[in-house]
Amino acid sequence: MKSPRRVIAVVAFAAASIGLLAGCSSGGASSSATGNGKVTITVGSLPPGTAKAAFTAFDNRVKAFEKLNPNITVKPEEYNWTASTFTAQLAGGTLPQQFDVPFTDTQSLLQNGQIADISSEVKALPYGNELNKSLMAVATSKSGAIYGLPYDPYAMGLSYNRKIFQEAGLNPNDPPTTWAQVAADAKTISQKLPNVAGYMQMTNDATGGWELVATTYSRGGRVEYRNSKGKTIVNADNPATVAALQWLSNLRWKDNAAGSNFLLNWDSINQAFGAGQIAMYPSGSDVLTSLVAADNVKPADYGLTTLPISGSGAGALTGGTVEVVSPQATKAQQEAAVKWIDFYYVQPLINKSQAVSNAKTLLASGQPVGVPSLPVFNQKTYNQTLSWIKPQMNVPQGNVASFNSKIFNQAVVPEPNIDTQQLYTALDPVVQAVLTNKNANIKSLLKAVDTQMQPIITKDDTKE
Amino acid sequence: MTAIDRTLSSQTMRGVRRRSPATWIRGGGLASLLFLLPMLFIFGIFSWYPIVKAVVMSFQSTNLVSAPTFVGWQNFISVFQDPQFGESIVNTAYFALLALIFGYPIPLIAAVLMSEVKRLRGLYAALAYLPVVVPPVVAILLWKFFYDASPTGVFNTLLASFHIAPQPWIENAAQAMPSIVLEATWAAAGSTVIIYLAALTGVSADLYDASEVDGAGIWKKIWHVTLPQLRGILLITFILQIIGTAQIFNEPFLMTDGGPNNATVTVLLLIYRYAFENSIGGGYGEATALSLMLAVFLAIISVVYFRITRSWSQN
């Protein structure tokens, strides 16, 4: 026979346990908009591993924003888009309320309702109707709704370490302009500096495919095309891709100029470049910002030129990011997030005082000013912005002149537009195979990618 | 079950059936149930519900945002048609085999040797267990650093002192999996050593004394006394090893991301790739389908294994 007191204790224990669990489950979704008009937003503008100086610069900009918008509190979260982690964050609902996605994913995300419609907020901006329409197309739905602001368009270039060039007896002011010269310089570097890879490419986490496609474009090839019936055909097994891989194979196995480590993604190749283990690698033209912030690269030691162009149809692969807002954010938070995007990303491009203020903040914290990019609006605006911040520029413009002087004469080619990241991931093992197996059968490996990807792309092509 | 057991059992059942709700409450049934509720709730929410949800999802096409659609067996068919499916099975089996050859006997040998040592046994046990204390991700990334394939890499520098040429380690399709097994064995052996050491303390000293009287040396004592006495534990650790190796993920994910050229893509890594490789999502159906197949496979293996080995462990 149980005493009433004991029964009550048992019931109380069970109720407390369930209450505790209920409390746990309800604690996750905190409301950030309060009744007094104040709103808190989380922004993913801070890349992981940001050095203290860059963090300070960012913090100062947050303070400036909050001063201008006293009702908005900005909570920065570390965020860096990578193919694998993004999906997990998206599915798990752990993305910040403002984040960025690549050009290639924006259409799919807006069709799936995974990013917010911010048409009214964007149109309310002073320049809302003047945005570059062709660029805005990446973030605009078929019905004309706007889901993001494109930012930071880049073209693929060839990053190189000027210090290593000098140590190897090469002229850093005369970077290679053909793939043959890249190979020759890489060989010279690896022979004179045995622990340095003269040239390497990314191979992992979908970046292997990304860089292979960039080097394919530079040779005039395409990995996807539309046939006469409007159907998208995967064409990894094209002469330019074969040539790009054969060139890489020769560099690795004949010239021994690709080093010893062949499993590199965006982060790890940047680290290796920052550590002086790699002399040249293809990169986005804007990579210096991250290299300085996370990998201690000195702008004075950094050089950038265009990827060599050869063959008809050759061009530079271009891409970029779109600043977007979570559909789970409240309307007030979405409005605040667009204000943040405007302040943090767009104003330094179009407003002289903001541009100079931003450049001074970056300069004061040792961050690079004058990193090569492509115009968000048009070349006139781009050049004007550069002229405003010329006094603050700490990236020696001579080091990147080779890129800046040639990129506007090159054709710019967008990334493949269907199942881009999956295609890149399917190409990763091919690049790895070429670098780790002397007898890799390039054509057969590429044909296997065509076979693997065609049904997937056909399925998704019909969805469009 | 003997006849007496069956009689007692049926009497107990009849006794339970006769109990009224009031008797059940007075007998502590309600208290037991209430104490059980939090556990049922937690298991229900965090274990059973996800399992049921995964089974349902394996027959759906979903990106976790739009409404899911039922696709029948399509996800299973897609998995079977994927060339990486076969590769991942072969790679996982290769890992399991290597882990069995190296990872299974090493802890046993270490434990038996430690149990023979009279002094500093605790120190050796602590040293063996130390790798388990290191967080797995840290350990794996450290080993990745050690595996640097350049001549200045940590392991290659060590090899150079023995005049052995630098090895590509994880940068070579043939060597990547053995390199991963080496790290995994190092990381996991400590736990198994402790289990064996604990089991060895249960072996009666009289058996060793008797075998010594019979003239047995150390190897005969191990073969005829230690191993038979550890049989039950050995059978359990064997099946745990099989289940563990079939679910290998951390090492290939962090060290090689399945490379080079898919040489270290395991079943779990393939599941991860289905779910998260496509940056806009959409492979969750295939991922859960393969997860389900793996779970069913391991359940069958476990049941068959326990049925086969039941008589061995009882003897």
Side-chain angles (χ1 to χ4, degrees), chain A residues 305-337:
Chain A
T305 184
T306 49
L307 284 179
I309 293 291
S310 61
S312 79
L317 180 144
T318 55
T321 56
V322 180
E323 301 305 327
V324 297
V325 179
S326 166
Q328 275 132 18
T330 63
K331 194 67 188 163
Q333 286 172 328
Q334 290 180 5
E335 282 169 13

Side-chain angles (χ1 to χ4, degrees), chain A residues 21, chain B residues 36-53:
Chain A
L21 285 167
Chain B
L36 205 59
L37 266 181
M39 191 280 287
L40 286 175
F41 187 78
I42 290 167
F43 264 74
I45 295 289
F46 296 109
S47 287
W48 300 325
Y49 175 71
I51 289 171
V52 173
K53 185 87 178 159

